[in-house]
Structures are given as C-alpha cells and as structure tokens.
Amino acid sequence: MNAEKHPPVSLGTYLMVWLALLALTALTIAVASMHFGAWSVLAAIVIATIKGTLVLLYFMHLRYEDRMFRIMLLLTLFTLAVIMLLTFVDVLLR
Amino acid sequence: MTTTEPSYLENQSHRKGLASWIFSTDHKRIGVLYLISILIFFSVGVLIGVVMRLKMLWPGTHLYSAAAYNAFFTVHGVIQIFLFIIPGIPAAFGNFILPLQIGAKDVAFPRLNLLSWWVYVIGALLALTALFSGNGPPDTGWSFYVPYSLRTNTNVTLAVFAAFILGFSSILTGLNFITTIHRMRCPGMSWFRMPLFTWSLYATAWIQILATPILAVTLIMVMAERILNLGLFDPGRGGDPLLYQHLFWIYSHPAVYIMILPAMGVVSDVIPAFCRKNIYGYKAIAFSSLAIAFVGYLVWAHHMFTSGMSNTARMVFSLLTFLVAIPSGVKVFNWIATMYKASIKIEPPMLFAMTFLFLFAIGGLTGLLNGALATDINVHETYYVVGHFHYTMFGGTGMGFFAALLYWFPKMTGKMYNKRTIVVAWAHIFVGFNLLYFTMMIMGWLGMPRRYYSYPPQYHTYHVVATVGSWILATGVFMFLGAFLVALKKGTKVAANPWDATTLEWKTASPPPTENFQTIPTVTGGPYEFKDGHPA
Amino acid sequence: MSTPTHEYHPDSTGSKIGMWLFLFTELLLFGGMFLLYAVYRVKNPADFHYASLNLDTKTGAINTAILLTSSLTMVLSIGMLERRHRKASLWFLIITIGFGVWFLVNKYLEWSHKIHHGIYPGSEELTGRTAGENLFYSLYFLMTGLHGIHVVAGMVVLGVMVWMIGKPHHRVLPVTTLPVDAQAHAVSVTVEYSEDAKLDQQKLIRLENAGLYWHLVDVIWIFLFPLFYLIS
C-alpha cells in the first residue's frame, strides 16, 4: 500500500512549500500592478499554474504517489484542454 | 458446483423483506434493484412513445393539445435517456456482472454503490414530480436549449435539477467501477485477460467521470439563470446562447458513448459464447473501446452544424466525426470475423446480438449523412435524425440491453425463460422497429421536421405506417418483458453455466452465493478460450 | 448489511483512487465555468479589465493567503496523525476549519459590499452597464459562489474528521483480545493492539482524503484569484 511505501513527508518541506506559495502570491500581485498588457494575463496564469502544481505535488502528495495518479490527472487536464481548444475553434473564428 | 453456500437471493441480513434489498450493499442485489427500476421507467417511456405516435396518425388537432405533445416528447426523451439508456447496462448488468467477471467479492465501495441507487431513485422521483407540479411538465425537449428553457413557465427548473441529481448517480457508478477494476482483480486476472464487457465498462466509466461534470455545471447554470437571472446566455446582455449548446453537447455527445459502449461490450461477450470460439482481435476490441471514449470528446459540435457556429469549426468537427467510424468499424469487423466459419448456436442472446449488429450498422451508416456537412444541413431537425438516433440507441443500446438480459438472466435468477416466446417477441420487435424508424428516416429525408404537432397531408401515409410499426414494436417489447415475469414464477431451473460460456462469472453457481466465489479464483488464461467447443 | 462475512481490507490506494476520481469531476465542473470565463474574456477584454478594477485586490489577496495557510495546517494535521500525535492533529484540523470560517466571513463582507452598491445578477445598476461588465459580475458571483459552497462542504467534511479523530477508539473489540471496561479503554489509546492499528490506518486514510478535497478547493481558488482580481 502506498501510504506505507513512503515515510511521512517532513514538516519542513510543507513549511517551505507554504512560504513559496505566499511568495508567489506576492509576486503575482506585483506583476499585475506593473501593466504588461496582454503579458500580465499570461504571467498571472503561469504563476497560478506553478502554485497549483506545488499544492498538487506536495500538499496533495502526488509527488510521492504511484505514477498512475499523475497519469490520470494529466488525462483529465488534457481532456479539459481539448474541450477548450475545440470550443475556441468556433468562438474565435466565428 | 456450490451447494454449501446459500445464494445472494436468500436473505442473510438482519433486515426483512424489501428492506433487505433496498439497504443491501451487495452489488448483486443493487444490480437487481437497478434492473427493476430501469425496466419500469423504460416501460413508461415506451408507453409515452406509443401515445406520441398515436397523435401522429392524423394531422391537425385531435386527441390532445400541442402543448401536451411538447410535454410528451420532452418526457419521453428525459426518461429514456437519463433513466433508461445511460444507467441501463452499466448500472444494472455492470453492477451485477463486473465483480463476477474479475473474480472480486464486491465493488470497491459497496456503500457508495447503494448510495448511487438511492440517488438514482431520488432523481427519478424528482423528474416525475416535475411532470405533475408547478406550471406543467417541461416542454423544451430533453436538451433544455436556451433561450427557450429560460423563458418557458413550465417546470424546467425541477426537471433540470433532477437531471443534475441523476448525474451524480452516474458519476458514483463510474468512480466505483474504475477503482474496482484497478484494485480488485483476482490473482491471474491481468488487464488483457479481462472480458471485453469489463473493458467496455472501464472505458464507459472514464467518460462518466470526465463528461458528466460538464453536464452538471451546465444544468447549474440553467438553474442559476432561471432563479438569479445571470444573463450568461442572453445575447441582449453580451451572453452567447451557442455556448450553452457547446457545453450541453460536450457532455451529451460523449454520453452517447456512455450509452453504446457497454452494449458493444455485451455483444463482445455474447458472440464468442455462441460461436464457440475465441473472439477475433481481442486487443483491438479492447483498445477500440478506449479510442471511442477518447474520440467521443472531439466531435460534439456535429450536433450544431446549423446553429451558426464558425465555418472552420463546422469543417473541423465534421472531419473529426468521421474518425469515430474507425474504432466502431474495428469492432464490427472483429465481431463478424469471429462469426466467420463458426458453428453459431442461435440462442436468444445471440439472436439479439445479431440484431444489434444489423440495426447498429444501419444506424451507423445513416449517421454518415449527419456527419457530412452538406447532407446534414438537409436532414437536420427532421425525422431523419430521429430515425437515425433510434437505430443507434434503441437498435444498438436497446438490443444490447435485451441481449444482456437474455444472456445473464439465468445467472441472476438461476432460471430459464421460455425461448419460444422470446423468438416470437423478437419477430415483433424486429418488424415493428424497422417499420417505425425506417419510415421516420424516409419521412425526414422528404422534409418532415421533428417535434411538430401536425404535418401537411403528403406525409400522412408515412405517419400511419410508422404508427402501426410502433404498435407492433410495443407489443413485442411487452411480450419480451412479460416472458421474464413468467420465468420468475415458472422458469425451469438451470445449471451454473447454461450457455457453456467461458468468462469467469459462469464459473460460480447460478444464482451466485453472496460472496460470489467459494474460494477466490485464480485465472490462468484468456477470457474466451475454447477447446473442442467447450470452455478450456 | 447482507454481506456480514466480508473481510475488512483497508485498501488505501483504492480509496485514494476513488477520491482522486471524484476530484477530477470537481476539476471539470469548474473547468466548464473557466471555459465560459475564457470565452467571454476574449470577447470583452476591455470591459473585463474595467470591471476587475472594482474588485478589492486586498480582500482577494488576504483570502488567498488564508486558504494557502489553511492548506498548510491541513497537511500538518495529517502529518501529526501519521506520527500518532492525535491531539496536535486535532488542533491543526480545528485551526483549518477556523481559516475556512475566516475566508467565508471575508467573502460575505465582499459580497454584501457589492450587493449594497446595487451590483448583483440582474440588478438595475448592472444591466445599465456594458455587456462585458454584466458577464464579469455574473461569472464572479457564480464561480465564487460555487467555490464558497465547496468551502462550506469542505468544512463539514473536516468537522466530521474532528469528530472521528476526537473520539477515542470505543469500537467493541472481540472479548478474546480485550476486555471492554474503563481501564482497558484507558490503555487502548497508548498500547498498540492490532485492531487499533487497523482503525488508525483507516482514520488516516479518511483524513488524507478529506485533506485532498480541501486542497483541491484551494487549487481552484488559486486560479479564481488572479482571473477576477488581478487581470489588467
């Protein structure tokens, strides 16, 4: 069973991840106030993605789980991406 | 084979009578509960269909009002789609058979499984309440298209909420099946020794997980619009009604694969059992299930060719739609290759599996005209679509469901039905079906729009033929269902494996004991291995 | 139940698969709304920009920090239970719920401020403004509202966990392994019986799954925050 396969994650790791998340939040607010035009949207999304990934990998233990969990998650995100892409084929070109 | 352990039909809980069923966490009892509820709703749906056809015997106003007709086609669609076809094979037969086929004692989450049935029943009751309360039954059609679904005063909010609840039931079943297949296969049951029915349930479960939430959020938005007036789909306030159609079909197109894949799985199990030989192209069929599940996500907007979406999108979706034909074709050719030069025993399950092949082939080929842009514009929103749809869904999934019932009824009850009655019923179903739906396709091709209460006189003959077909079909269906009621009372007892089939569910008693197998089985070979015409 | 003889196998991977599959459905549920957001944003960039200026970045940022910190206390609660510090685990769990309350209070204040200024779906004030602003606020109320419901659901789940971890193991153990009296109860917490270990294992699995849900609600907020409060 996987719960026993890995030793408990050290509490220090959790603290570091938390600090990183707060730092990234500060960063995204700073970037937003600098008015990069279209780039700031991209920056906001990229930073949010990094933050989400950190939560998924460390707080939600995906890093320590069986590879299958990551594959399943990627499958889900891929499905969502395909849906968005195909919808935009209509919306953008109408 | 097993005489020491009592079957699941004998009550072993502290509860009595009905309570020992509706609170049971045994996957077999839950499967039976689902089967009974689904068959009840199916019968209601059929009767409503007959009532609809009755009106179409003559043009003009008679029998009941146009508003009632709108309500009838909506309710017929909602019941048959959400209460019969979507849960049909996975929830009833999947629940019963899946753990048996992989040598498990139960599904991974038995209590969640019971919950899913309760959620189904609650959703169904809400749907029925929607018919008899508020300002009358919903009249939008089963697709709840905006803006009409936001403007009509009929009971749409409750009906939509019911569909939302039913989605949960579907998700819970899917979640349970995926986990069960991943975690509970018995020793030796590797992925490529699983019966193809189990494979099809696996692919279906993924669609249930990844598509149903989109329906849920779409329905939430319809409810929110009706209650809070958000204006998300209101062009007057910047909204885009086409986005509703996108969201709706992002779920509802994959949903037709939720409907058809399990039926294909049934056929993949039935054909080798009655051809007395191994299935041709096992892996191809298994992978084509996954391929259909995936490609099913890429084609939803072919329901929207005339909606005014972008030309590029129409071409892209038309092109992608043709891709579905590849994995579907792989399956059909493999089934036919299995039957080639086999000593086929035409028992009732095989009869219906072959009917599936025949009707589904017609449904699939007529679908090409809908997938191709130019022809679709001609037949869109006509009876042609209605006919095509019923060929795939009733002729496909419906016949698969019937085949499953015929194939596994002895497993579930330990009794055999009267085969002669079934053959007579089959003849009615086959004749009535083609009279009804093929005529619909011709009418549609000639321009008869769907969902119209009346029609010009030149369609009269066709409508009469179709209506007569509906009578024959309904007679056949009820004769068919009646045969099982009779069999419950008077059916002859059968041995554990009456079909001499190879898959694991036949290696335990019929009906199976509560824990399915006396000892946990160990699998040493593929699912369809015959030797000298008998299970190897 | 009709299957009294079923053996009990705690399958932590199995429960986790089930939980993750459920989380995927949540992702796609919000995914559908993000799709709508994306389309309307692309169509009305200027209006969205203008509307988002009227949302208070500070409130949003504070709420982000609250949820991120609650995620930390959540994993600490799990970490403590893994290390068999039941009390500490319980306290971290209660703190997590406290953060949830704080988040919702902020949300409530923010919403009532907007509603007070006549900005709510279908309001006269809003229908008088541009189409893009209408859509922005409709999506804002819909998405943060649905997210709020998820926060509430998460708090209910965590509340159940508090109850589960808080109560000592007073499942009646087989008489042969343990006499059930007060004295035995006192030791059963400290002394490891195989039955207890199994229960601990089961509690840990449940707490981990509850944590997964809580984190997912956090992940969704991580995306909601920049999309509504920061785009410029």
Side-chain angles (χ1 to χ4, degrees), chain C residues 97-111:
Chain C
I97 297 176
F99 278 124
V101 174
W102 190 6
F103 176 88
L104 287 176
V105 168
N106 281 345
K107 201 82 246 171
Y108 169 79
L109 293 176
E110 194 186 14
W111 270 39

Side-chain angles (χ1 to χ4, degrees), chain B residues 155-233:
Chain B
N155 218 348
V156 168
T157 311
L158 191 59
V160 162
F161 184 61
F164 175 76
I165 296 284
L166 288 168
F168 266 101
S169 165
S170 188
I171 285 175
L172 290 179
T173 304
L175 185 157
N176 227 332
F177 284 1
I178 293 179
T179 315
T180 308
I181 292 172
H182 270 277
R183 300 296 300 171
M184 300 184 69
R185 283 168 287 129
C186 67
M189 180 60 80
S190 58
W191 283 88
F192 291 112
R193 284 180 183 167
M194 294 197 312
L196 288 165
F197 179 57
T198 297
W199 264 107
S200 74
L201 289 176
Y202 184 72
T204 307
W206 270 110
I207 315 178
Q208 285 174 306
I209 293 287
L210 295 183
T212 317
I214 304 283
L215 176 74
V217 73
T218 312
L219 297 178
I220 286 175
M221 284 193 258
V222 173
M223 286 187 277
E225 286 289 349
R226 284 181 68 90
I227 297 166
L228 301 172
N229 189 17
L230 295 174
L232 284 175
F233 302 121

